[in-house]
Amino acid sequence: MTKTILITGASRGIGAACAQLAAERGWQVCVNYLAGREAALQVVRGIEDAGGSAFAVQADVSQEAEVMRMFADVDARYGRLDALVNNAGILARQMRVEQMDAERIGRILATNVTGSFLCAREAVRRMSTRQGGSGGAIVNVSSRAGVLGAAGEYVDYAASKAALDVLTIGLAKEAANEGIRVNGVRPGLIDTEMHASGGEPGRIGRLKGSVPMGRGGEAMEVARAVLWLLSDEASYTTGSFIDVSGGR
Ligand code: NDP
């Protein structure tokens, strides 16, 4: 039986790399996206051209009804779910805490925290052996920012990732004897379009001197950690974190 994985925010960046690598490892892949329909379809085409199976599903993970529709689409398409990667995440323009308003903070938390909770909920409802499922695995894509704090840039984003880490710890314990493992990956400075949304496309160039390995990372380097945590190789690993940050 081919296993099914849902990856949120998989139209580009780290999510797209996870989708590609998951397909290479034999998963059938649900590629969630928010606005990048063409990019998501390109990820799907890449997987299909390589002989894999994938489909794109639009949904805003911060909206409960959309999350429920997305999981229903996955049920209809593949009839099973074995893994979730909570990867969709946003940040906003760099600023200090005293400049932030409630709209901005709420927007970050809605996607990064509420969205991840809602997707985890729907995944557990399907995968938990207590609810008739066959077990599975969840990986939450957090950030080293959740530990370092992102001072002067986006402390709200960092706080959302710290909250996501607590979801990892708590849900791992809740679901451990229901066949579900829950782990986190904390990327450091990874070369994606995300930095542009903070207003500094060249951010890695500015900060790479602070990385012990002296460079930014590639999305695929994060994807490899995610796929390991999802694999049977990680069968006794839950509530754990892998930092993929070149030592930063
Ligand atoms: P990108 O900005 O390149 O991609 C973000 C993805 O998330 C896109 O596919 C986007 O979809 C999707 N997305 C955004 N909001 C929503 C939403 N509300 N619902 C569904 N999908 C949404 O980001 P990265 O690949 O860099 O980041 C992926 C994850 O890794 C994030 O959680 C981020 O916080 C984390 N991370 C990234 C680091 C980095 O240096 N790049 C460092 C540490 C952590 P669309 O394009 O369709 O709008």
Side-chain angles (χ1 to χ4, degrees), residues 8-16 32-37 39-40 59-63 86-91 110-112 141-145 157 161 164 185-195 197 203-204 219 222:
T8 65
S11 52
R12 56 192 163 100
I14 292 168
N32 161 252
Y33 66 98
L34 176 62
R37 183 165 185 275
D60 180 342
V61 296
S62 70
Q63 301 300 312
N86 266 325
N87 168 77
I90 55 168
L91 46 72
T111 295
N112 299 4
V141 180
S142 174
S143 173
R144 282 293 293 162
Y157 167 80
K161 294 301 187 176
L164 184 58
V185 168
R186 295 194 194 103
L189 299 168
I190 309 301
D191 186 13
T192 72
E193 294 166 45
M194 172 172 258
H195 308 284
S197 61
R203 181 168 173 261
I204 293 179
V222 180

Side-chain angles (χ1 to χ4, degrees), residues 10 12 22 38 56 68 77 103 114-115 120 135 143 167 182 197 210 212 216:
R12 56 192 163 100
E38 254 321 300
M68 296 189 69
R77 176 70 185 238
E103 188 280 327
T114 306
S143 173
L167 171 64
V182 186
S197 61
S210 67

Side-chain angles (χ1 to χ4, degrees), residues 60-239:
D60 180 342
V61 296
S62 70
Q63 301 300 312
E64 189 166 23
E66 296 190 29
V67 169
M68 296 189 69
R69 187 209 3 99
M70 170 171 71
F71 276 82
D73 284 355
V74 175
D75 295 340
R77 176 70 185 238
Y78 288 130
R80 61 180 290 149
L81 184 71
D82 304 279
L84 164 70
V85 181
N86 266 325
N87 168 77
I90 55 168
L91 46 72
R93 230 179 159 68
Q94 295 173 358
M95 62 176 68
R96 289 169 54 95
V97 169
E98 75 257 29
Q99 297 172 301
M100 293 177 184
D101 60 24
E103 188 280 327
R104 167 193 163 116
I105 298 165
R107 191 159 39 84
I108 303 292
L109 295 178
T111 295
N112 299 4
V113 182
T114 306
S116 299
F117 267 81
L118 293 172
C119 291
R121 181 191 78 191
E122 292 305 307
V124 168
R125 285 177 178 173
R126 285 160 176 78
M127 301 190 307
S128 169
T129 53
R130 202 166 62 105
Q131 306 196 40
S134 312
I138 296 173
V139 171
N140 293 321
V141 180
S142 174
S143 173
R144 282 293 293 162
V147 178
L148 299 171
E153 295 191 325
Y154 13 70
V155 177
D156 49 357
Y157 167 80
S160 77
K161 294 301 187 176
L164 184 58
D165 287 355
V166 177
L167 171 64
T168 299
I169 294 165
L171 184 59
K173 290 176 180 168
E174 266 186 25
N177 66 358
E178 300 170 21
I180 300 174
R181 296 181 300 101
V182 186
N183 292 289
V185 168
R186 295 194 194 103
L189 299 168
I190 309 301
D191 186 13
T192 72
E193 294 166 45
M194 172 172 258
H195 308 284
S197 61
E200 190 184 7
R203 181 168 173 261
I204 293 179
R206 173 173 62 88
L207 291 174
K208 69 179 181 202
S210 67
V211 180
M213 286 180 71
R215 66 171 178 89
E218 298 298 324
M220 195 51 83
E221 294 181 289
V222 180
R224 288 193 201 104
V226 171
L227 266 293
W228 181 78
L229 286 168
L230 293 172
S231 77
D232 291 340
E233 296 282 307
S235 56
Y236 196 53
T237 302
T238 198

Side-chain angles (χ1 to χ4, degrees), residues 25-47:
R25 304 265 168 98
W27 296 83
Q28 44 197 17
V29 187
C30 312
V31 175
N32 161 252
Y33 66 98
L34 176 62
R37 183 165 185 275
E38 254 321 300
L41 291 176
Q42 215 173 311
V43 172
V44 168
R45 273 195 297 272
I47 289 171

